Amino acid sequence: MNYILELSFGAAIILVLLIRAKIKKYNYFKERGVPTLSIYAGLTNTWKLFTKKISFPDMVMDLYNAHPNAKYIGIFDQGSPVFIIRDPEVVKLVTVKNFTVFLDHKGFVKEEVDPLLGGGLFNMKGGKWKEMRAVISPTFTTSKMKCMFELMSKCGQDFVEFLEKEKQPLVLEMKDVFTRYANDVIATTAFGVTVNSIHDKENEFYMMGVEATSFTPLRSFKTILFQWYPKIMKFLKFKIVSDKVSNFFRDIVITTINTRKVQNIHRPDLLNILMHARMKDPDRELTHDEIICQAFLFFFAGFETVASVMSFVAYHLAIYPEVQEKLRKEVDGVCGRENGQLIYEELGEMKYMEMVLNETMRLIPPSVLTDRVAVEDFHLPANDEKSPPIHIEKGTAIWIPIAGFQKDPKYFAEPEKFDPERFDSDHKNNILPFTFIPFGVGPRSCPANRFAFMEIKLILINILKRFVIKPCEKTSIPMKFAKGTITVVAEKGIWLSFKPRKNIE
């Protein structure tokens, strides 16, 4: 009996201490005069997400709209304070003017836990990130893009030629077909591997890509656990990317590198650039592991993210036939030259195409949230005239809710309306800086955005030249986002009908 009383008393003391600790943490924002949510809000939102009560975009919007008049608000993530920025001038202050203070992402996995993902550019920090960014950036210069243009064009042509041979009616799930196209583009432009995933539906490269990038609710939860408890996840030897996938990509890269060196092969792709890159020390080449990590990150980001953008663009073209027809006329006008063969420079002439892509990514950004971590102490500007500047400590996280800014009626009238004209030459200059940031912002924005745009434009051009995209019985209108995953996915897929133009015109 005494043992039970002692145990109960001990448990009561621990409970009191935990409550005091939580109250103290909650007072972190209260003492600074920062609007905040309940200390349990972060946990509640996470619980709702992984019990499929809410979608990730909706969760981010709820956080953004919690205190609509504040420049920033505070929440707790894993028990640590996080500042959610709601003011574009503060975004500029953090990501550009004081970039060296907010140099790092928190990252979603550490290199020592999951070497393949953790060793990629996104998860790198400090000087290591700067050095690798300088190596990666030349991949996306105009001269390199022009070289990859030909490789990419071949993938687009193979894609639509296969569709033309398919029986009618042709009803397709957009995410499925566009991940196949994205897979083929990345295989050829990054790894020097030629595959045709729309024809050979279960080729190994594609199947490994599906396994590497599929974020089921369980996998999404595991990703959160990697951030919360990296030491435990390391001890348990859990990984986001399986050994099977890691070994597959490792073997491809090493075999290709060795073959190219022996046979003196030069190809206009990412692997070739990484093979010949030099670090600060001109005598040091990238190691095989460094090349593998950067090539895989390029694949990981492009396979899922770019395919999603393509899917959402196709959906809006089907739902808004007048937009599709206007875009088709632009495509026909440009592609009618040079015997119908598109050249790289003509992509830049398609202004309406760019307007459609921008508006799609405004409504459904590739990433609804980005972050920064302070590498030294800093003072955020006062939230209002009555408050002092806020001191934040080294290691404090900043969240930038991209979706919040891009759907805020203060910055975009009728934000739920699909209106490409927002981005025409007469209106785009009126868009407040740092409110439209689909690829991130500042020096740590996505270095491959031009590559992604070229990839998306080329497949749309090939499709619009041959098909009319229409809704079908399986099309969900309006679209709803899947709950229980940290990626932005349509709840029931995006099913659309492709009608050959020759059968309509």
Side-chain angles (χ1 to χ4, degrees):
M1 180 65 96
N2 288 337
Y3 172 75
I4 295 175
L5 288 173
E6 289 175 2
L7 189 63
S8 300
F9 183 68
I13 291 176
I14 292 172
L15 181 61
V16 169
L17 291 174
L18 287 173
I19 293 172
R20 287 185 62 187
K22 288 186 176 294
I23 292 173
K24 185 177 180 181
K25 284 184 176 180
Y26 185 70
N27 286 339
Y28 177 91
F29 292 114
K30 186 176 180 181
E31 290 170 353
R32 289 163 172 77
V34 177
T36 186
L37 305 181
S38 160
I39 195 165
Y40 298 103
L43 183 60
T44 300
N45 281 329
T46 302
W47 176 254
K48 286 181 179 179
L49 182 66
F50 294 112
T51 53
K52 298 187 177 183
K53 303 293 184 184
I54 192 172
S55 70
F56 190 54
D58 287 341
M59 187 184 82
V60 171
M61 291 303 299
D62 286 349
L63 292 173
Y64 181 85
N65 292 322
H67 292 276
N69 297 319
K71 292 181 179 179
Y72 44 82
I73 67 171
I75 67 166
F76 288 93
D77 179 45
Q78 310 163 43
S80 299
V82 174
F83 288 83
I84 300 178
I85 307 301
R86 300 191 69 267
D87 183 90
E89 283 300 315
V90 181
V91 173
K92 179 180 180 181
L93 184 74
V94 167
T95 60
V96 178
K97 289 185 176 180
N98 292 278
F99 166 69
T100 55
V101 177
F102 296 93
L103 182 62
D104 297 338
H105 288 303
K106 183 174 182 180
F108 54 90
V109 62
K110 296 183 182 298
E111 187 173 1
E112 60 268 25
V113 178
D114 196 322
L116 192 60
L117 266 185
L121 183 68
F122 180 87
N123 287 293
M124 287 182 170
K125 302 183 186 299
K128 192 174 182 181
W129 170 82
K130 288 182 180 179
E131 191 175 26
M132 188 59 72
R133 174 76 182 224
V135 170
I136 294 291
S137 293
T139 306
F140 307 108
T141 60
T142 299
S143 60
K144 298 294 192 303
M145 295 279 286
K146 289 178 72 172
C147 291
M148 289 189 281
F149 173 81
E150 299 299 329
L151 299 173
M152 206 180 285
S153 295
K154 178 66 166 58
C155 294
Q157 291 165 11
D158 290 345
F159 180 90
V160 295
E161 285 173 6
F162 179 83
L163 296 186
E164 284 185 309
K165 297 174 184 177
E166 290 290 278
K167 293 181 179 179
Q168 293 293 322
L170 186 57
V171 175
L172 303 168
E173 201 288 304
M174 295 295 97
K175 188 67 177 294
D176 174 67
V177 295
F178 285 138
T179 51
R180 296 179 184 281
Y181 165 70
N183 176 78
D184 294 358
V185 167
I186 298 169
T188 188
T189 59
F191 295 87
V193 176
T194 300
V195 291
N196 189 335
S197 301
I198 193 71
H199 182 269
D200 182 8
K201 295 188 181 299
E202 294 189 2
N203 71 80
E204 191 174 17
F205 204 101
Y206 175 76
M207 298 307 293
M208 288 295 160
V210 171
E211 184 173 334
T213 61
S214 296
F215 272 81
T216 61
L218 178 60
R219 195 177 190 196
S220 296
F221 185 62
K222 187 188 291 187
T223 302
I224 296 296
L225 292 179
F226 270 104
Q227 296 186 46
W228 288 4
Y229 308 112
K231 292 182 179 179
I232 294 176
M233 300 299 275
K234 181 180 180 181
F235 175 77
L236 295 174
K237 297 183 179 181
F238 285 171
K239 294 180 179 179
I240 293 178
V241 180
S242 69
D243 288 338
K244 181 175 72 172
V245 172
S246 296
N247 292 335
F248 173 78
F249 283 100
R250 179 178 293 276
D251 290 346
I252 280 183
V253 171
I254 292 177
T255 300
T256 304
I257 288 174
N258 291 338
T259 300
R260 290 185 182 187
K261 284 184 175 180
V262 170
Q263 300 182 15
N264 196 29
I265 296 172
H266 294 274
R267 197 170 185 273
D269 57 25
L270 175 67
L271 200 57
N272 190 74
I273 292 167
L274 293 173
M275 284 174 60
H276 296 90
R278 293 292 184 273
M279 306 302 275
K280 286 184 178 179
D281 178 355
D283 295 325
R284 185 174 95 75
E285 297 181 350
L286 270 67
T287 65
H288 280 180
D289 283 346
E290 287 172 326
I291 292 175
I292 292 164
C293 288
Q294 306 322 310
F296 180 74
L297 177 64
F298 186 70
F299 177 85
F300 188 86
F303 186 95
E304 165 69 26
T305 306
V306 177
S308 292
V309 174
M310 294 177 197
S311 302
F312 296 135
V313 172
Y315 175 84
H316 285 99
L317 292 179
I319 300 303
Y320 298 94
E322 69 282 2
V323 172
Q324 181 179 170
E325 186 56 31
K326 185 173 181 179
L327 181 56
R328 180 176 290 104
K329 287 180 180 178
E330 180 179 72
V331 168
D332 288 347
V334 172
C335 294
R337 313 171 201 159
E338 302 293 332
N339 297 319
Q341 294 298 312
L342 185 73
I343 60 176
Y344 174 79
E345 287 76 12
E346 290 173 334
L347 285 179
E349 297 179 29
M350 297 189 182
K351 303 302 181 184
Y352 193 66
M353 172 81 76
E354 197 135 329
M355 290 161 58
V356 170
L357 298 188
N358 282 335
E359 177 64 352
T360 301
M361 290 190 295
R362 182 197 67 79
L363 268 175
I364 313 174
S367 177
V368 297
L369 177 76
T370 188
D371 76 327
R372 296 293 188 274
V373 175
V375 299
E376 59 186 75
D377 289 1
F378 187 75
H379 281 86
L380 287 176
N383 226 330
D384 53 55
E385 295 179 357
K386 299 179 181 179
S387 305
I390 303 299
H391 175 78
I392 63 174
E393 299 81 9
K394 177 182 176 180
T396 301
I398 299 289
W399 287 0
I400 302 168
I402 295 172
F405 285 107
Q406 295 183 180
K407 297 181 79 171
D408 190 329
K410 287 192 300 184
Y411 310 124
F412 297 95
E414 298 182 87
E416 297 295 337
K417 180 182 178 182
F418 181 73
D419 182 13
E421 305 302 325
R422 299 178 200 272
F423 293 92
D424 68 14
S425 56
D426 294 329
H427 296 97
K428 65 180 180 180
N429 291 331
N430 295 326
I431 296 174
L432 194 64
F434 300 93
T435 60
F436 177 67
I437 46 176
F439 288 106
V441 61
R444 286 212 73 149
S445 60
C446 175
N449 60 333
R450 292 179 65 205
F451 180 94
F453 256 49
M454 182 167 76
E455 182 181 355
I456 297 168
K457 287 178 180 179
L458 278 172
I459 193 61
L460 288 176
I461 289 167
N462 277 285
I463 289 172
L464 292 173
K465 284 168 64 177
R466 294 170 174 84
F467 295 96
V468 175
I469 311 171
K470 292 180 174 288
C472 63
E473 290 183 359
K474 299 173 71 174
T475 307
S476 297
I477 305 174
M479 182 193 300
K480 294 182 180 180
F481 296 115
K483 300 170 183 177
T485 176
I486 58 174
T487 53
V488 184
V489 183
E491 187 175 50
K492 297 181 180 179
I494 300 176
W495 292 89
L496 299 173
S497 172
F498 279 42
K499 306 284 187 182
R501 284 179 65 178
K502 61 186 178 183
N503 295 345
I504 296 176
E505 296 176 348

